[in-house]
Coordinates of all heavy atoms in Angstrom, one line a residue:
M1305 N 8.3 -24.3 -26.3 CA 9.7 -24.6 -26.7 C 9.9 -26.1 -27.1 O 10.5 -26.3 -28.1 CB 10.9 -24.2 -25.8 CG 10.9 -22.6 -25.5 SD 12.1 -22.2 -24.3 CE 13.6 -22.6 -25.1
D1306 N 9.4 -27.0 -26.3 CA 9.4 -28.4 -26.5 C 8.7 -28.6 -27.8 O 9.2 -29.6 -28.7 CB 8.8 -29.2 -25.4 CG 9.7 -29.2 -24.1 OD1 10.9 -28.9 -24.3 OD2 9.2 -29.5 -23.1
L1307 N 7.6 -28.0 -28.1 CA 6.8 -28.3 -29.3 C 7.6 -27.8 -30.6 O 7.5 -28.4 -31.6 CB 5.5 -27.6 -29.2 CG 4.4 -28.3 -28.3 CD1 3.3 -27.3 -28.1 CD2 4.0 -29.6 -28.8
A1308 N 8.3 -26.7 -30.3 CA 9.1 -26.1 -31.4 C 10.4 -26.7 -31.6 O 11.1 -26.5 -32.5 CB 9.1 -24.6 -31.2
A1309 N 10.8 -27.6 -30.7 CA 12.2 -28.1 -30.7 C 12.5 -28.8 -31.9 O 13.6 -28.7 -32.6 CB 12.4 -29.0 -29.4
P1310 N 11.7 -29.8 -32.5 CA 12.0 -30.4 -33.7 C 12.3 -29.5 -34.9 O 13.2 -29.7 -35.6 CB 10.7 -31.3 -33.9 CG 10.0 -31.5 -32.6 CD 10.3 -30.2 -31.9
R1311 N 11.4 -28.4 -35.0 CA 11.5 -27.6 -36.0 C 12.9 -26.7 -35.8 O 13.6 -26.5 -36.8 CB 10.4 -26.4 -36.0 CG 10.6 -25.3 -36.9 CD 10.4 -25.7 -38.4 NE 10.3 -24.5 -39.2 CZ 10.7 -24.4 -40.5 NH1 11.0 -25.5 -41.1 NH2 10.6 -23.3 -41.1
A1312 N 13.2 -26.4 -34.5 CA 14.4 -25.7 -34.2 C 15.6 -26.6 -34.5 O 16.6 -26.1 -35.2 CB 14.5 -25.2 -32.8
R1313 N 15.6 -27.8 -34.3 CA 16.8 -28.7 -34.6 C 16.9 -28.9 -36.1 O 18.0 -29.1 -36.5 CB 16.6 -30.1 -33.9 CG 17.0 -30.0 -32.4 CD 17.1 -31.4 -31.8 NE 15.7 -31.9 -31.6 CZ 14.9 -31.9 -30.6 NH1 15.4 -31.1 -29.5 NH2 13.9 -32.5 -30.4
A1314 N 15.7 -29.0 -36.8 CA 15.9 -29.1 -38.3 C 16.5 -27.9 -38.8 O 17.1 -28.0 -39.8 CB 14.4 -29.2 -38.8
L1315 N 16.4 -26.7 -38.3 CA 16.9 -25.4 -38.7 C 18.4 -25.2 -38.2 O 19.0 -24.3 -38.6 CB 16.0 -24.2 -38.5 CG 14.6 -24.2 -39.1 CD1 14.0 -23.0 -38.7 CD2 14.8 -24.3 -40.7
G1316 N 18.7 -26.0 -37.2 CA 20.0 -25.9 -36.6 C 20.1 -24.6 -35.6 O 21.0 -24.0 -35.4
V1317 N 18.9 -24.4 -35.1 CA 18.8 -23.2 -34.2 C 18.3 -23.7 -32.9 O 17.3 -24.4 -32.7 CB 17.9 -22.0 -34.7 CG1 17.7 -21.0 -33.7 CG2 18.2 -21.6 -36.0
V1318 N 19.0 -23.2 -31.8 CA 18.6 -23.5 -30.4 C 18.0 -22.3 -29.7 O 18.8 -21.4 -29.4 CB 19.8 -24.1 -29.6 CG1 19.4 -24.5 -28.2 CG2 20.4 -25.3 -30.4
P1319 N 16.6 -22.2 -29.6 CA 16.0 -21.1 -28.8 C 16.6 -21.0 -27.4 O 16.6 -21.9 -26.6 CB 14.6 -21.3 -28.9 CG 14.4 -22.2 -30.1 CD 15.6 -23.0 -30.2
A1320 N 17.1 -19.8 -27.0 CA 17.6 -19.6 -25.6 C 16.4 -18.9 -24.8 O 15.8 -18.0 -25.3 CB 18.7 -18.7 -25.8
Y1321 N 16.3 -19.3 -23.6 CA 15.2 -18.9 -22.6 C 16.0 -18.3 -21.4 O 16.6 -19.1 -20.7 CB 14.3 -19.9 -22.4 CG 13.3 -19.5 -21.2 CD1 12.7 -18.2 -21.3 CD2 12.8 -20.3 -20.2 CE1 11.8 -17.8 -20.3 CE2 12.0 -19.9 -19.3 CZ 11.5 -18.7 -19.3 OH 10.6 -18.2 -18.4
D1322 N 15.7 -17.0 -21.2 CA 16.2 -16.4 -19.9 C 15.2 -16.6 -18.8 O 14.3 -15.8 -18.7 CB 16.7 -15.0 -20.1 CG 17.2 -14.3 -18.9 OD1 17.4 -15.0 -17.9 OD2 17.4 -13.1 -19.0

Side-chain angles (χ1 to χ4, degrees):
M1305 291 177 66
D1306 288 343
L1307 289 169
R1311 171 71 171 160
R1313 281 193 288 272
L1315 297 177
V1317 180
V1318 179
Y1321 172 43
D1322 183 3

